[in-house]
Amino acid sequence: MVYEYKSPVNGTNRKHPLGRHGEVTVEQAKTMAKASAGEVAMGNDPQEKKHERRREIQKQRQNTLLAFLEGEYRTVTPKASADAAEKNIKKYFAKWLNKPLVNITAFDMTKWLNNYPGAPSGGNRIMNDLRGLLTKAVAAGYLEKTPMSEVKRLREDKNKKIKYLTREYEQRLMAGLDEYDEYRRKLDKQTEGKYADLLRPLIMVAVNTGMRKGELLNLKVNDIDFASGVITVVGMGEHSDDYQTRKTRTKSLQTRYIPMNDTSAAVLNDWLHQTGHTELVFPNTAGRRACDKFIDRRWYWAREAAGLTGKIDFHGLRHTFGTRLAELRVDLVTIQELMGHESLDVTAKYLHTSPERKHLAISALTGY
């Protein structure tokens, strides 16, 4: 049984199938014919709509996770973010890469999360990459809705102790740096005094500004205003070299301004005077942006010399900055602005870190 009509779209005579005799009753066919007539009256072509639905289904079936990840996803995602997401998705969701997006279910993702072997925070961060991709797939029309709305994040310990330098550890690190510098001075003799090591000034600036490793490595000389005593940590800005292209300079993409104390100002002034750098403040030996491994090798060497192996990584220097501010009872909003946190919830963890703060709080009750 068919419904014959003249297409309001192109004026051609068309036939719209209503169903086979025996599978569809006459009454059902009449009802469907009336619905189709209503569509025609409103200027729609029922048969064309049917073809559009088929094309959409075919499009969804053909668009796999891998195809979208390497294709349209990159056209609407900053390069640095897309690179990081692609690396994680290909590593952790390799079995799903050739799956159509519509076949990736909330059940699949919940099962993956529940079987994630690492810390809950790690599993949630990895899943966030997939979450962002599927959200953009909805915007692109490949999915009607994201299944992520049905996926519950793993519970995290929000009060988990962060690693930072206690006063004792800080003294030990400085002693380790003395040993490291002695080693570098011996090396410097072999290079005829042409090389200045960046580890000590990098560490001193990190502890006194709270800047992330990547922000320090992207820092340019013209980002430092010694006259006003302020460092500008640029949120967006292209920086290209042989290592990689980086369009993002901060994690939040927001520019922030960090006042320099006497220590950070003196360290930076001495370092730039010593090296004569005019572009990047902390480049590698070739004058280009240093990679993480370039810094990490030096950091691990100094950390081992200080006897702090396994106790703290370079990011712990940023935590040290936040903890010191909290110990000085600086308000949370100021700490948030200095560290570039998007949420006060992230900043608040520094209030739970220092044992000294807790001891002071309890001591204040004496005689109350």
Side-chain angles (χ1 to χ4, degrees), residues 192-226:
E192 300 178 352
K194 294 181 180 178
Y195 179 66
D197 192 82
L198 52 68
L199 186 61
R200 183 183 289 269
L202 193 70
I203 288 174
M204 296 301 293
V205 175
V207 170
N208 285 278
T209 64
M211 293 174 65
R212 299 176 178 90
K213 186 198 307 180
E215 294 169 346
L216 287 164
L217 299 183
N218 283 328
L219 184 66
K220 295 183 177 180
V221 174
N222 60 12
D223 292 333
I224 305 171
D225 187 342
F226 286 103

Side-chain angles (χ1 to χ4, degrees), residues 204-260:
M204 296 301 293
V205 175
V207 170
N208 285 278
T209 64
M211 293 174 65
R212 299 176 178 90
K213 186 198 307 180
E215 294 169 346
L216 287 164
L217 299 183
N218 283 328
L219 184 66
K220 295 183 177 180
V221 174
N222 60 12
D223 292 333
I224 305 171
D225 187 342
F226 286 103
S228 62
V230 173
I231 296 174
T232 300
V233 184
V234 180
M236 293 287 288
E238 191 168 342
H239 177 77
S240 303
D241 58 26
D242 293 341
Y243 172 59
Q244 64 183 38
T245 299
R246 294 187 176 240
K247 292 186 178 179
T248 57
R249 301 274 297 277
T250 69
K251 184 177 180 181
S252 65
L253 309 185
Q254 301 299 310
T255 295
R256 70 182 190 279
Y257 305 92
I258 305 176
M260 291 183 284

Side-chain angles (χ1 to χ4, degrees), residues 53-86:
R53 283 195 296 270
R54 284 181 177 175
R55 286 193 292 268
E56 185 62 28
I57 291 172
Q58 187 65 19
K59 175 184 175 183
Q60 291 176 346
R61 285 176 178 170
Q62 289 177 346
N63 207 77
T64 63
L65 174 61
L66 180 62
F68 186 71
L69 177 64
E70 294 181 341
E72 291 193 46
Y73 172 70
R74 283 191 161 274
T75 67
V76 292
T77 309
K79 185 179 185 305
S81 301
D83 287 344
E86 181 175 336

Side-chain angles (χ1 to χ4, degrees), residues 11 266 295 300:
I295 301 303
Y300 293 144

Side-chain angles (χ1 to χ4, degrees), residues 255-309:
T255 295
R256 70 182 190 279
Y257 305 92
I258 305 176
M260 291 183 284
N261 59 14
D262 291 342
T263 300
S264 58
V267 167
L268 285 168
N269 188 59
D270 290 346
W271 172 249
L272 293 177
H273 179 74
Q274 179 187 5
T275 61
H277 293 325
T278 57
E279 291 294 329
L280 290 170
V281 177
F282 298 110
N284 60 17
T285 52
R288 301 186 181 94
R289 186 196 185 279
C291 65
D292 286 351
K293 289 183 179 179
F294 181 84
I295 301 303
D296 291 342
R297 283 195 300 267
R298 289 158 172 75
W299 167 254
Y300 293 144
W301 199 101
R303 193 182 69 174
E304 288 178 4
L308 300 177
T309 306

